[in-house]
Amino acid sequence: MTLMPTNLCRMGRILQNLVFEDTCLTGLKTVERKMRSDTRGFLSRLFCAEELLYAGWRKPIAQVNHVRTKKKGAIRGMHFQFPPHAEMKLVTCVKGAVVDVAVDLRAGSPTFLKWYMEKLSAVNGRALLIPEGFAHGYQTIDVECELVYLHSAGYEPAAEGGVNPFDPTLSISWPLQISEISERDRNHTMIDESFKGIQL
């Protein structure tokens, strides 16, 4: 279901850089960037405050991270921050291709502990807009992948949280054999009945 093919008029100017679509998890959206191409290459807008406002991004960008992962099949994740440092993320792949995964950890959510996977690549121009209260991670499906993360909150080590990417409660269907994962990510705790979710 298309949330909004952005076509906003402001002072006679039509904004049409980003197209948002709802996913099966409330608040989690895919973002498709409009590519403007010519013989030189292309231009696409990674962030537009006016258009993203309608998709729920209401805070300033607090941090931008550029991540490179060299091996195909590598996993990073699944990361989040506890309140009051919970963050929205806009995740874009600018080189290679990944399967990007978001897990709903929000207490009381009808899709609590459900996950969504989307292919992001430098070619398809898609991004994932991840609300507060979600864990996020990805697996590379190409070599030499680079992602850009926009965060609505800065990194706070004391608020850092993670869920295990191999947790049987989640049963995430990673598409490739795992080639590499950090010890920190491999050792994230498993979810048990004591975990009631993140209270936002």
Side-chain angles (χ1 to χ4, degrees):
M1 179 179 99
T2 299
L3 170 68
M4 187 180 75
T6 48
N7 186 8
L8 311 175
C9 292
R10 184 178 177 190
M11 297 176 65
R13 187 160 53 97
I14 296 176
L15 304 176
Q16 202 167 25
N17 300 293
L18 306 171
V19 176
F20 307 102
E21 289 188 0
D22 292 320
T23 69
C24 56
L25 306 183
T26 304
L28 178 70
K29 295 174 175 58
T30 62
V31 183
E32 188 167 343
R33 303 189 309 280
K34 184 177 179 68
M35 300 284 190
R36 293 176 171 83
S37 302
D38 60 23
T39 55
R40 299 167 297 172
F42 71 87
L43 178 146
S44 73
R45 189 159 296 173
L46 297 181
F47 184 90
C48 177
E50 291 170 285
E51 294 182 59
L52 278 156
L53 179 66
Y54 289 87
W57 189 294
R58 290 174 168 76
K59 297 179 180 179
I61 296 173
Q63 195 170 81
V64 179
N65 292 323
H66 181 192
V67 182
R68 177 181 178 226
T69 307
K70 294 183 285 185
K71 288 186 179 179
K72 181 177 180 177
I75 285 179
R76 291 181 182 262
M78 303 289 298
H79 307 143
F80 64 93
Q81 291 197 153
F82 286 100
H85 303 282
E87 58 186 341
M88 263 188 118
K89 294 179 185 175
L90 180 62
V91 182
T92 304
C93 182
V94 295
K95 183 178 180 181
V98 305
V99 288
D100 208 62
V101 179
V103 178
D104 188 352
L105 300 179
R106 298 170 298 183
S109 170
T111 54
F112 180 57
L113 298 184
K114 303 296 184 187
W115 55 270
Y116 177 84
M117 180 181 288
E118 179 78 21
K119 180 181 177 181
L120 308 181
S121 76
V123 174
N124 72 12
R126 294 179 73 78
L128 207 57
L129 182 62
I130 304 169
E132 296 177 358
F134 277 68
H136 166 259
Y138 65 87
Q139 183 178 37
T140 55
I141 54 175
D142 203 350
V143 295
E144 294 291 349
C145 296
E146 296 186 25
L147 277 72
V148 173
Y149 292 51
L150 279 63
H151 301 256
S152 66
Y155 173 63
E156 177 53 58
E160 183 179 52
V163 294
N164 196 294
F166 311 119
D167 194 316
T169 299
L170 302 176
S171 295
I172 297 171
S173 299
W174 301 107
L176 300 181
Q177 182 175 346
I178 313 307
S179 64
E180 188 172 40
I181 185 170
S182 71
E183 282 303 306
R184 181 188 69 154
D185 290 350
R186 185 187 299 277
N187 292 319
H188 285 319
T189 57
M190 300 291 182
I191 293 167
D192 59 27
E193 63 279 357
S194 68
F195 181 67
K196 305 302 181 186
I198 297 172
Q199 294 283 350
L200 295 175

